[in-house]
Amino acid sequence: MATGIWLIGARGSVATTAVVGAAALKAGLAEPLGCVTELPELRSPALPGLADLVFGGHDIAGIPLAKKAEALVTAGVLPAGITAALGTEIAAAERELRPVPSAERQIDAARRIAADIEDFQRRHRLERVVVVNVSSTEPAAPPHPGHADLAALEESLASTDPVLPASSLNAYAAFTAGCPFVDFTPSTGARLPALAELAARADVPYAGNDGKTGETLVKSVLAPMFAMRHLRVRTWSGTNLLGGGDGANLADPAANAAKAGSKQRVLAETLGYQPQGSSHIEYVDDIGDFKTAWDLITFSGFLGTTMRMDFTWHGCDSALAAPLVLDLARLTAAAHAAGRSGPLGELAFFFKDPLGEVSHALPEQWAVLVRFVRGLAYV
Amino acid sequence: MATGIWLIGARGSVATTAVVGAAALKAGLAEPLGCVTELPELRSPALPGLADLVFGGHDIAGIPLAKKAEALVTAGVLPAGITAALGTEIAAAERELRPVPSAERQIDAARRIAADIEDFQRRHRLERVVVVNVSSTEPAAPPHPGHADLAALEESLASTDPVLPASSLNAYAAFTAGCPFVDFTPSTGARLPALAELAARADVPYAGNDGKTGETLVKSVLAPMFAMRHLRVRTWSGTNLLGGGDGANLADPAANAAKAGSKQRVLAETLGYQPQGSSHIEYVDDIGDFKTAWDLITFSGFLGTTMRMDFTWHGCDSALAAPLVLDLARLTAAAHAAGRSGPLGELAFFFKDPLGEVSHALPEQWAVLVRFVRGLAYV
Amino acid sequence: MATGIWLIGARGSVATTAVVGAAALKAGLAEPLGCVTELPELRSPALPGLADLVFGGHDIAGIPLAKKAEALVTAGVLPAGITAALGTEIAAAERELRPVPSAERQIDAARRIAADIEDFQRRHRLERVVVVNVSSTEPAAPPHPGHADLAALEESLASTDPVLPASSLNAYAAFTAGCPFVDFTPSTGARLPALAELAARADVPYAGNDGKTGETLVKSVLAPMFAMRHLRVRTWSGTNLLGGGDGANLADPAANAAKAGSKQRVLAETLGYQPQGSSHIEYVDDIGDFKTAWDLITFSGFLGTTMRMDFTWHGCDSALAAPLVLDLARLTAAAHAAGRSGPLGELAFFFKDPLGEVSHALPEQWAVLVRFVRGLAYV
Amino acid sequence: MATGIWLIGARGSVATTAVVGAAALKAGLAEPLGCVTELPELRSPALPGLADLVFGGHDIAGIPLAKKAEALVTAGVLPAGITAALGTEIAAAERELRPVPSAERQIDAARRIAADIEDFQRRHRLERVVVVNVSSTEPAAPPHPGHADLAALEESLASTDPVLPASSLNAYAAFTAGCPFVDFTPSTGARLPALAELAARADVPYAGNDGKTGETLVKSVLAPMFAMRHLRVRTWSGTNLLGGGDGANLADPAANAAKAGSKQRVLAETLGYQPQGSSHIEYVDDIGDFKTAWDLITFSGFLGTTMRMDFTWHGCDSALAAPLVLDLARLTAAAHAAGRSGPLGELAFFFKDPLGEVSHALPEQWAVLVRFVRGLAYV
Ligand SMILES: NC(=O)c1ccc[n+]([C@@H]2O[C@H](COP(=O)([O-])OP(=O)(O)OC[C@H]3O[C@@H](n4cnc5c(N)ncnc54)[C@H](O)[C@@H]3O)[C@@H](O)[C@H]2O)c1
Ligand SMILES: NC(=O)c1ccc[n+]([C@@H]2O[C@H](COP(=O)([O-])OP(=O)(O)OC[C@H]3O[C@@H](n4cnc5c(N)ncnc54)[C@H](O)[C@@H]3O)[C@@H](O)[C@H]2O)c1
Ligand SMILES: NC(=O)c1ccc[n+]([C@@H]2O[C@H](COP(=O)([O-])OP(=O)(O)OC[C@H]3O[C@@H](n4cnc5c(N)ncnc54)[C@H](O)[C@@H]3O)[C@@H](O)[C@H]2O)c1
Ligand SMILES: NC(=O)c1ccc[n+]([C@@H]2O[C@H](COP(=O)([O-])OP(=O)(O)OC[C@H]3O[C@@H](n4cnc5c(N)ncnc54)[C@H](O)[C@@H]3O)[C@@H](O)[C@H]2O)c1
Ligand code: NA
Ligand code: NA
């Protein structure tokens, strides 16, 4: 069951780590650490095999994949020697990358994006292609009447107005090409009524938003712990220091705001109230891909006694994100194969800001995910 | 449904905080923070009310409860002014405390312990009494042939040999008095084949061991997080700095060893393998009741990339433990009322070293606990 | 040698802690911890005795000192029982507090401020009065031609324009009353050419700015350590969580910016280059007077190997600041007595943003301070 | 001025990093970060140049230097590619390494050690050779009457008794060969009255003990900070997690005890009293050469208010130690050239447990060192 992964932002850190990593796993050079679909509880014949994934994608940047991979080796994200060992595979992926098509009218840009994807699918005789957005986080998109329903959207796209942010235009293109869409970023993506309508019409599923790889992951287990123990969280204040391409982009206050918001939501949802404090993101070029986050939590217990905990998280963002990209593509492909369409709330486990009215507590998200995968096997 | 709580170690920090705290809650002076049986998911008519609890107990020390409470105010464990506000209640509890009975033969000591409990129950017309061990952690008990079965045990107890450590003698006495037993300490308590036999014969339930209030609590949510994300924990190394009576006792390497062992077990159980590192306990008088723990965790992810997190936990041990003592007494009383006997594996949520073959992951323990409480309501 | 301390912001946390603390020391209720002028190396007959200090001051707020002191007890800044023990002394200080005089023209306001100070000095027959600014941090003052020289300043003050920020108007008033001035805040204070001129004319010394009590204190010893070991600091990034009155005020981005700037200056000065990273201040009401700061430092050593350290500082700002206020008043009074005038660079030890071209490394500042005090003794 | 460095433990991590690093600096492949003698304040014509150092040494292990260097590359201590670039230099050093000579009588072993050193000096026409002990930390040596004076020592060494631990035997051999001796380890080394006598007779200087590279370095600036601010340190408790060869050796409680002792001494010396708490060392194989230390400090300030700070230090021990080995050899060689003999207390800056009655505060040690180097230049 050859399955395509079409990456928006294909020359970025997450994308490159995913492409090189999948090749390394296929070549038996590494264990599938970080890939949750390789855990016994989630392994399933319903999922396309890791070895059956084929990569292509769009990027506005032109840096060769091999050069980007080399930079990731230097940064300690990819192991030394891997680019030499996987030169052929990297070259093969390089051939499937395309510049982002542009056009005066967004409807035409979308058609060309879809055409690139369809061409990719045809050439590789892929059963299906999952489009995954791992491009730079966008600032919040300005509202537009075309967002509200599909008819209005299609009419507006045919004008020369900018109607959709890039992430949503990609979702639109994916749906028109009959492809599932995964948004690993906090950008708008498929989260517009008009696009929900389109996904339903096209009978394709979609998932998102914003891969959960660090501080929020920890929050999604610690916050339920405080709740289960009836301890009242008073303050939860976080600082995230990060460099890399994503860090540089998040230094932009607009993009930053989107991210910081989705990082605190988990608290209100799992605790039932919003503690004081905020989540602060700071760009430090030198930190590179290894983010350091520090969180301080103060809480009250029996008779009001105040206590505290703090943690630091020193994680390699791309190494945490890339295997989840593979997981999400496999799961979404299987959901599509099983006839699922619309938002996949069951994949909340993977996201900081999951679609739908779902739990933000990791253990519950895990239980839902396990059931979801079991369900897929019996279609 | 007046229910007794008979505390072994009744003049200690945990016991005093529980007694004073229960009175404060009854008097409406505080919210029931830290009491998990007061959470919506666990509130149940099957449990005795917080206001229906009556306290008594044994201690080898003679410090007046009011004086101990004052010391806990100074230490910041109890709020200022509380001893004045609850003088009557503290005096009432004081009247129910007894010195630890002794005798040449352990069988006679056990009879006197049981007699004190029965007398307490009679005087207060209590429906039942739950015996809770919150006394100092013992060194590991030397093995004795009398531990293996009940007949052998009763024969040995009638000699002048020391057969049982204090915690187990208290469990023996509780069971002969028809009372459930909860061991909040890492001591042997009811964990001997002979005592299991006795509990079955007496038709009483028991629970334990070692209340989970700090570092291990955090481990029981973080370790599953790493497991669910397929991240391999390489090192988990912990340092616990604590003072107070319990700290002084744990400075004794023998008692210390018992505790440090039960603190790492959660890792092997939830991860499926034992990472490197150990859990180290150090007594620092000045730290008092507010323990500070630091844990370093290193882990590998995608393609072997090594990452790390550390946390510090600054918790008030007695404020974390005392509400759990109330919870455990209520739950065990309800289980007894519902006809349960033997080890209550369903209470694993509360313990570092739970009885039975049970999960060590907090979320699963929570789910089991919720089902358990629901079950009690429909007896 | 009775010496007055006239506090600008006399009802704030730092001021109240200083007033109550000085009374406690006089009454023998506490050791002079935190008072550096009580260390053997700095004790000197040239300094007015702790028991010879008399307090008065201005504040725009009207909260009674006793009530403020009570609030500081609740917050854990002052020890329980202290307000009862020192009721007389607190009442005495209360009688010396005045509302901030206002007038249409700043020259008149300054005269009334000076009059209040002179009146205080007369009534208590004080040898001298040191004016200490511990009022809320101001936003950076807009430039004004009157700042450049004294003649221009006096002319402008006589108009109805606002010329000086409050801190500088207080410095002006102090100097015209012949009093030394200490600025414990990052506000402009005496740092204007016109005021330097005035201090010289009035023959009075002044000191500042911004008391060094937490993160910057630690920086002033750690940064030299890296320098002395030829380790290159790459990133130094700090987060300060604080509540209290000062925290609320610093939540205002303008005031915040002033503070964050002076917090990083020490790095450039002691390292000789500016590492990446910034110092971030966040207001968290619940944190109260106990600030928590976290700093991450990454550095390169032999052959470029990258290493890191981080620290958390959990300090009570007012308890750290108040004894320094006493120290500064004593030292500045002694300098005045010894005939010193103009900026006291030798007091850099106390400040985040010291006056003059001085070292920012704490050990060198200490050495300078010791020499300074020795010098005073031989006048 | 070609100067030899004879390394005891020449195939260990510190030694190999020093040898490879010196070659890298000579080849212009790296800046001299971590080398304090390359700071402007300490650069001096009195010191042999970095490029004039020639390496040789003893080791009981036989691992080829190139292989050890490769392992250090893998561990991230040495930069990738360095072993290829410096193959010739590494081979040259390899040719100067010798197995540790043994003999039935220690006097004969010492003669052979000295002969190896003299032979090294002759072959390379070295002006002088500094012997540096970077071998594994020894357990505390049992006392022996031969330690007390030189005559007794020489008599005992001629018997077949074991009289001196290896570190001291090496110091003995160095002195008899007319060479200065530096002990970078906590072992006994030259710290015996008999050896002091010998050094005086041979007119050679010596330095030690135990390179200060991590937690103790930080202590030597933080402890004076608390002292200078009159803040009373109540608890200082440290945990050191380390792997590598040194870590494995320190897992031995005897070696460990020596190290942990010298780590707390700095506190008593700089504070004037011994706070509570201890320094704990734990071996964690996986941690490798990158040690992680965590220290908690609690302290009291004004009116007794208790505050706290903690820090984590994540340092590469060999990268911190190796440049100091080069510094120490250069400084000791220059001292020898200047006619100094006996213990060099002026080098306390480099050591956890410095010789002589010297300050343990880093800034004072720095000032002494700067004066010392200036003094050497004017001989
Ligand atoms: N790494 C993580 O842990 C993590 C977690 C959650 C979300 N994310 C999100 O994943 C995204 C990628 O992160 P990264 O670290 O790989 O960032 P990156 O900067 O390395 O890569 C982003 C890539 O997107 C490309 N790009 C930008 N705009 C584009 C467009 N309109 N069309 C196509 N390509 C475009 C850029 O040229 C770049 O190559 C970010 O949005 C980030 O916020 C990452
Ligand atoms: N506080 C927590 O978070 C926590 C968590 C898990 C377990 N525990 C355990 O709870 C127990 C109590 O802790 P604490 O802080 O109250 O200690 P504590 O030292 O304050 O109190 C122990 C009391 O037990 C009494 N005692 C000792 N031996 C006795 C005996 N044979 N019979 C009767 N009384 C006896 C002592 O006199 C003392 O009053 C300890 O074993 C501790 O390890 C506490
Ligand atoms: N506490 C520390 O560690 C520390 C360190 C460095 C600097 N400081 C500075 O010290 C100052 C005082 O801190 P705090 O915690 O006591 O703050 P606070 O908010 O408790 O007190 C400030 C007081 O100043 C008064 N005030 C405001 N404007 C005034 C004016 N124009 N004239 C007279 N009074 C005025 C306020 O009414 C208040 O009572 C702040 O500027 C702070 O930044 C404090
Ligand atoms: N790295 C640091 O930051 C640091 C700081 C202070 C002290 N030290 C000390 O430096 C020493 C070396 O540390 P390392 O990390 O290189 O250790 P290592 O284990 O890598 O190297 C020690 C070497 O000494 C050799 N050796 C053992 N006994 C010997 C003997 N009798 N004669 C000759 N060689 C012998 C071993 O074979 C090994 O090659 C240790 O004693 C350590 O405690 C290191
Ligand atoms: Na931390
Ligand atoms: Na920390």
Side-chain angles (χ1 to χ4, degrees):
Chain A
M1 192 164 88
T3 299
I5 304 188
W6 187 263
L7 299 159
I8 316 298
R11 299 184 187 283
S13 297
V14 172
T16 306
T17 306
V19 168
V20 175
L25 295 179
K26 195 167 169 177
L29 298 179
E31 284 178 278
L33 287 184
C35 297
V36 304
T37 49
E38 293 295 313
L39 285 168
E41 296 90 334
L42 293 180
R43 231 175 260 143
S44 162
L47 307 186
L50 268 173
D52 298 328
L53 303 177
V54 181
F55 294 89
H58 280 136
D59 202 303
I60 54 169
I63 182 175
L65 211 55
K67 205 171 150 196
K68 179 76 191 181
E70 227 12 277
L72 291 167
V73 168
T74 305
V77 179
L78 294 175
I82 206 165
T83 50
L86 299 170
T88 316
E89 288 79 358
I90 294 171
E94 178 66 60
R95 281 192 300 274
E96 302 304 328
L97 303 195
R98 299 284 175 275
V100 175
S102 65
E104 214 178 328
R105 303 185 314 158
Q106 284 199 319
I107 190 83
D108 299 319
R111 277 180 198 143
R112 288 177 203 168
I113 294 170
D116 280 351
I117 300 170
E118 286 157 358
D119 181 45
F120 169 65
Q121 178 162 10
R122 231 178 348 258
R123 274 182 296 112
H124 291 278
R125 301 168 198 279
L126 302 167
E127 207 158 341
R128 64 183 49 77
V129 175
V130 179
V131 175
V132 183
N133 182 22
V134 282
S135 68
S136 315
T137 297
E138 299 163 356
H144 187 284
H147 297 172
D149 69 88
L150 187 53
L153 177 64
E154 302 209 309
E155 198 180 300
S156 330
L157 286 174
S159 77
T160 57
D161 275 13
V163 180
L164 293 177
S167 63
S168 302
L169 195 68
N170 277 295
Y172 178 87
F175 294 162
T176 58
C179 297
F181 177 78
V182 175
D183 207 328
F184 203 78
T185 83
S187 303
T188 311
R191 289 180 296 182
L192 293 173
L195 294 176
E197 223 180 307
L198 177 59
R201 198 176 69 186
D203 226 20
V204 291
Y206 58 94
N209 275 48
D210 205 5
K212 180 161 66 185
T213 52
E215 197 197 17
T216 316
L217 177 66
V218 179
K219 277 179 177 165
S220 73
V221 299
L222 285 183
M225 177 193 84
F226 289 107
M228 286 187 275
R229 279 298 175 96
H230 205 172
L231 299 166
R232 172 141 329 131
V233 175
R234 302 176 66 86
T235 299
W236 197 310
S237 207
T239 295
N240 288 266
L241 307 178
L242 71 170
D246 189 28
N249 179 50
L250 292 175
D252 168 16
N256 195 314
K259 198 90 172 189
S262 76
K263 278 168 157 301
Q264 286 298 75
R265 210 153 301 146
V266 56
L267 297 182
E269 303 278 346
T270 54
L271 295 171
Y273 54 90
Q274 183 68 54
Q276 291 189 23
S278 63
S279 184
H280 165 69
I281 300 179
E282 188 185 331
Y283 175 70
V284 184
D285 179 57
D286 188 64
I287 295 278
D289 256 292
F290 276 82
K291 178 174 63 182
T292 295
W294 174 72
D295 277 48
L296 174 69
I297 306 142
T298 67
F299 57 97
S300 297
F302 202 48
L303 309 180
T305 310
T306 300
M307 302 174 257
R308 54 175 42 217
M309 85 173 280
D310 69 355
F311 66 84
T312 59
W313 172 267
H314 182 59
C316 177
D317 266 5
S318 299
L320 290 163
L324 302 183
V325 165
L326 305 180
D327 289 327
L328 282 163
R330 297 171 76 189
L331 290 163
T332 308
H336 190 215
R340 284 289 305 269
S341 71
L344 294 173
E346 295 94 333
L347 303 187
F349 179 78
F350 294 95
F351 296 111
K352 287 207 230 352
D353 197 14
L355 298 170
E357 295 287 310
V358 296
S359 171
H360 281 64
L362 195 74
E364 295 181 31
Q365 294 176 334
W366 168 257
V368 167
L369 180 62
V370 169
R371 271 199 303 278
F372 173 72
V373 172
R374 285 199 195 129
L376 292 175
Y378 301 104
V379 173
Chain B
M1 192 164 88
T3 300
I5 304 189
W6 186 264
L7 298 159
I8 315 298
R11 299 184 187 281
S13 297
V14 171
T16 306
T17 306
V19 168
V20 175
L25 295 179
K26 196 168 170 177
L29 298 179
E31 285 178 277
L33 287 184
C35 297
V36 304
T37 49
E38 291 295 311
L39 285 168
E41 297 90 332
L42 293 180
R43 231 176 260 142
S44 163
L47 307 186
L50 268 173
D52 298 328
L53 304 176
V54 181
F55 294 88
H58 280 137
D59 201 302
I60 54 169
I63 181 174
L65 211 55
K67 205 172 151 195
K68 179 76 191 182
E70 226 15 274
L72 290 168
V73 168
T74 305
V77 179
L78 294 175
I82 206 165
T83 50
L86 299 170
T88 317
E89 289 78 359
I90 293 170
E94 178 67 59
R95 281 192 299 277
E96 302 304 329
L97 303 194
R98 300 285 174 274
V100 174
S102 66
E104 213 178 329
R105 303 185 314 157
Q106 284 199 320
I107 191 80
D108 299 319
R111 275 180 198 143
R112 289 178 201 167
I113 294 170
D116 279 350
I117 300 169
E118 285 157 358
D119 181 45
F120 170 66
Q121 179 162 9
R122 231 179 347 258
R123 275 181 297 112
H124 291 278
R125 302 168 198 277
L126 302 168
E127 208 157 341
R128 64 182 51 77
V129 175
V130 179
V131 176
V132 183
N133 182 22
V134 284
S135 67
S136 315
T137 297
E138 300 163 355
H144 187 284
H147 297 172
D149 69 87
L150 188 53
L153 177 64
E154 303 208 309
E155 198 180 300
S156 330
L157 287 175
S159 78
T160 57
D161 274 13
V163 179
L164 292 177
S167 62
S168 302
L169 195 68
N170 277 295
Y172 177 87
F175 294 161
T176 57
C179 295
F181 177 79
V182 175
D183 207 329
F184 203 77
T185 83
S187 304
T188 310
R191 289 181 295 182
L192 293 174
L195 294 176
E197 223 180 308
L198 177 60
R201 198 176 70 186
D203 225 18
V204 290
Y206 58 94
N209 275 49
D210 205 4
K212 179 161 67 185
T213 51
E215 195 197 20
T216 315
L217 177 65
V218 179
K219 277 180 178 165
S220 72
V221 298
L222 284 183
M225 178 193 84
F226 289 108
M228 285 187 276
R229 279 298 175 96
H230 206 172
L231 299 166
R232 173 144 325 133
V233 175
R234 303 176 65 87
T235 300
W236 197 311
S237 206
T239 295
N240 289 266
L241 306 178
L242 71 169
D246 189 28
N249 179 49
L250 291 175
D252 167 16
N256 195 313
K259 199 89 170 190
S262 76
K263 277 168 159 298
Q264 286 298 75
R265 210 153 302 145
V266 57
L267 297 182
E269 303 278 346
T270 55
L271 296 172
Y273 54 90
Q274 183 67 55
Q276 293 188 21
S278 62
S279 185
H280 165 68
I281 301 178
E282 187 185 331
Y283 175 68
V284 184
D285 180 56
D286 187 65
I287 296 278
D289 256 292
F290 276 82
K291 178 174 62 182
T292 294
W294 175 72
D295 277 48
L296 174 69
I297 306 142
T298 67
F299 57 98
S300 296
F302 202 48
L303 309 180
T305 310
T306 301
M307 301 174 258
R308 54 174 45 217
M309 85 174 279
D310 69 354
F311 66 85
T312 58
W313 172 267
H314 182 58
C316 177
D317 265 6
S318 298
L320 290 163
L324 303 183
V325 165
L326 304 180
D327 289 327
L328 282 164
R330 296 171 78 190
L331 290 162
T332 309
H336 191 213
R340 285 289 305 269
S341 71
L344 294 174
E346 295 94 335
L347 302 187
F349 179 78
F350 294 95
F351 295 111
K352 287 208 229 352
D353 196 14
L355 298 170
E357 295 286 311
V358 297
S359 172
H360 281 66
L362 195 74
E364 295 179 31
Q365 295 175 334
W366 168 256
V368 167
L369 179 62
V370 170
R371 271 200 302 280
F372 173 73
V373 173
R374 287 201 192 127
L376 293 175
Y378 300 104
V379 171
Chain C
M1 193 164 88
T3 300
I5 303 188
W6 187 263
L7 299 159
I8 315 298
R11 299 185 187 282
S13 297
V14 172
T16 305
T17 306
V19 169
V20 175
L25 294 179
K26 196 169 170 177
L29 298 178
E31 284 178 278
L33 287 183
C35 297
V36 304
T37 48
E38 292 294 313
L39 286 168
E41 295 90 334
L42 294 179
R43 232 177 260 144
S44 162
L47 307 187
L50 269 173
D52 298 329
L53 304 176
V54 181
F55 294 88
H58 279 138
D59 202 302
I60 55 169
I63 182 175
L65 212 54
K67 204 170 152 198
K68 179 75 190 182
E70 226 13 277
L72 290 167
V73 168
T74 306
V77 179
L78 294 175
I82 204 164
T83 51
L86 300 170
T88 315
E89 288 78 358
I90 294 170
E94 178 66 59
R95 280 192 301 274
E96 302 304 328
L97 304 194
R98 300 286 175 272
V100 174
S102 66
E104 215 178 327
R105 302 185 314 157
Q106 284 199 319
I107 191 81
D108 300 319
R111 278 180 196 144
R112 290 180 200 166
I113 293 171
D116 280 350
I117 299 170
E118 287 157 357
D119 181 45
F120 170 66
Q121 179 162 8
R122 233 181 343 261
R123 275 182 294 114
H124 292 277
R125 302 168 197 275
L126 302 168
E127 206 157 342
R128 63 182 51 78
V129 175
V130 180
V131 176
V132 183
N133 181 22
V134 284
S135 68
S136 316
T137 297
E138 301 164 354
H144 186 282
H147 296 172
D149 69 89
L150 186 52
L153 177 63
E154 303 208 309
E155 196 179 302
S156 329
L157 287 175
S159 77
T160 57
D161 274 13
V163 180
L164 293 176
S167 62
S168 302
L169 194 67
N170 277 295
Y172 178 87
F175 294 161
T176 58
C179 296
F181 177 78
V182 175
D183 207 329
F184 203 78
T185 82
S187 304
T188 309
R191 290 181 295 183
L192 293 174
L195 294 176
E197 224 179 308
L198 177 59
R201 198 176 69 186
D203 224 19
V204 290
Y206 57 94
N209 277 47
D210 204 5
K212 180 161 69 184
T213 51
E215 195 197 20
T216 314
L217 177 65
V218 179
K219 277 178 178 165
S220 73
V221 296
L222 285 182
M225 177 192 84
F226 288 109
M228 285 186 274
R229 279 300 175 95
H230 206 174
L231 299 166
R232 171 143 327 132
V233 175
R234 303 177 66 87
T235 299
W236 196 311
S237 206
T239 295
N240 289 266
L241 307 177
L242 71 170
D246 189 30
N249 179 50
L250 292 175
D252 168 16
N256 195 313
K259 198 91 172 188
S262 76
K263 278 166 158 301
Q264 288 297 77
R265 211 153 300 147
V266 57
L267 298 182
E269 303 278 346
T270 54
L271 295 172
Y273 54 90
Q274 183 68 55
Q276 292 190 23
S278 61
S279 184
H280 165 69
I281 301 179
E282 188 185 332
Y283 175 69
V284 184
D285 179 58
D286 188 65
I287 296 277
D289 257 292
F290 277 82
K291 177 173 65 182
T292 296
W294 174 74
D295 277 47
L296 175 69
I297 306 141
T298 66
F299 57 98
S300 297
F302 202 48
L303 309 180
T305 310
T306 301
M307 302 174 257
R308 54 174 45 217
M309 85 172 280
D310 68 356
F311 67 84
T312 59
W313 172 267
H314 182 58
C316 177
D317 265 5
S318 299
L320 290 163
L324 302 183
V325 165
L326 304 180
D327 289 327
L328 282 163
R330 297 171 77 189
L331 291 162
T332 308
H336 190 214
R340 284 290 306 269
S341 72
L344 295 173
E346 296 93 335
L347 302 188
F349 178 78
F350 295 95
F351 295 111
K352 287 206 229 353
D353 196 13
L355 296 171
E357 295 287 311
V358 297
S359 171
H360 281 66
L362 195 73
E364 296 180 31
Q365 296 176 334
W366 168 257
V368 167
L369 180 62
V370 170
R371 271 199 303 279
F372 173 72
V373 173
R374 286 201 194 128
L376 293 175
Y378 300 103
V379 172
Chain D
M1 192 165 87
T3 300
I5 304 189
W6 186 264
L7 299 159
I8 315 297
R11 299 183 187 283
S13 297
V14 172
T16 306
T17 306
V19 168
V20 175
L25 295 179
K26 195 169 170 175
L29 297 179
E31 284 178 278
L33 288 183
C35 298
V36 304
T37 49
E38 292 295 311
L39 286 168
E41 296 90 334
L42 293 180
R43 231 177 261 143
S44 163
L47 307 186
L50 268 173
D52 298 329
L53 303 176
V54 181
F55 294 88
H58 280 138
D59 201 303
I60 54 170
I63 182 175
L65 212 53
K67 204 171 152 196
K68 180 74 190 182
E70 227 12 278
L72 291 167
V73 168
T74 306
V77 179
L78 294 175
I82 205 164
T83 50
L86 299 171
T88 316
E89 287 78 359
I90 294 170
E94 177 66 58
R95 280 192 301 274
E96 301 305 327
L97 304 195
R98 301 285 176 273
V100 174
S102 65
E104 214 179 326
R105 303 185 314 158
Q106 285 199 318
I107 190 82
D108 299 319
R111 276 177 198 147
R112 289 179 202 167
I113 293 171
D116 280 350
I117 299 170
E118 286 157 357
D119 180 46
F120 170 65
Q121 179 162 8
R122 231 177 350 257
R123 274 181 296 113
H124 291 277
R125 301 167 197 277
L126 302 168
E127 206 157 343
R128 63 183 50 78
V129 175
V130 180
V131 176
V132 183
N133 181 23
V134 284
S135 68
S136 317
T137 297
E138 299 163 355
H144 186 285
H147 297 173
D149 69 87
L150 187 53
L153 177 64
E154 303 209 309
E155 195 180 303
S156 329
L157 286 175
S159 77
T160 56
D161 273 14
V163 179
L164 292 177
S167 62
S168 302
L169 194 67
N170 276 294
Y172 178 87
F175 294 162
T176 57
C179 297
F181 177 79
V182 174
D183 207 329
F184 203 78
T185 81
S187 303
T188 309
R191 290 181 293 182
L192 293 174
L195 294 176
E197 223 179 308
L198 177 59
R201 197 175 70 186
D203 224 19
V204 290
Y206 58 93
N209 276 47
D210 205 4
K212 179 160 68 183
T213 51
E215 196 197 19
T216 315
L217 177 65
V218 179
K219 277 180 177 163
S220 73
V221 297
L222 285 182
M225 177 193 83
F226 288 108
M228 285 186 275
R229 280 299 175 95
H230 205 172
L231 299 166
R232 173 143 327 132
V233 176
R234 303 178 65 86
T235 300
W236 197 310
S237 206
T239 296
N240 289 266
L241 307 178
L242 70 170
D246 189 30
N249 179 49
L250 292 174
D252 168 16
N256 196 313
K259 199 90 172 189
S262 75
K263 278 167 159 302
Q264 287 298 78
R265 211 153 300 148
V266 57
L267 298 182
E269 302 278 346
T270 55
L271 296 171
Y273 53 90
Q274 182 67 55
Q276 292 189 23
S278 62
S279 185
H280 165 68
I281 300 178
E282 188 185 331
Y283 175 68
V284 184
D285 179 57
D286 189 64
I287 296 277
D289 256 291
F290 277 82
K291 177 173 65 181
T292 296
W294 174 73
D295 277 48
L296 174 69
I297 306 141
T298 67
F299 57 98
S300 296
F302 203 48
L303 309 180
T305 311
T306 300
M307 302 174 256
R308 54 174 46 217
M309 85 173 280
D310 69 355
F311 67 84
T312 59
W313 172 268
H314 182 58
C316 177
D317 265 6
S318 299
L320 290 163
L324 303 183
V325 165
L326 304 180
D327 288 328
L328 282 164
R330 296 172 76 189
L331 291 163
T332 309
H336 190 213
R340 284 291 305 267
S341 71
L344 295 174
E346 296 94 334
L347 302 187
F349 179 78
F350 295 94
F351 295 111
K352 288 208 231 347
D353 195 14
L355 297 171
E357 294 287 311
V358 297
S359 171
H360 281 65
L362 195 73
E364 296 181 30
Q365 294 175 335
W366 168 256
V368 167
L369 179 62
V370 170
R371 270 200 303 279
F372 173 72
V373 172
R374 285 198 195 130
L376 292 176
Y378 300 103
V379 172

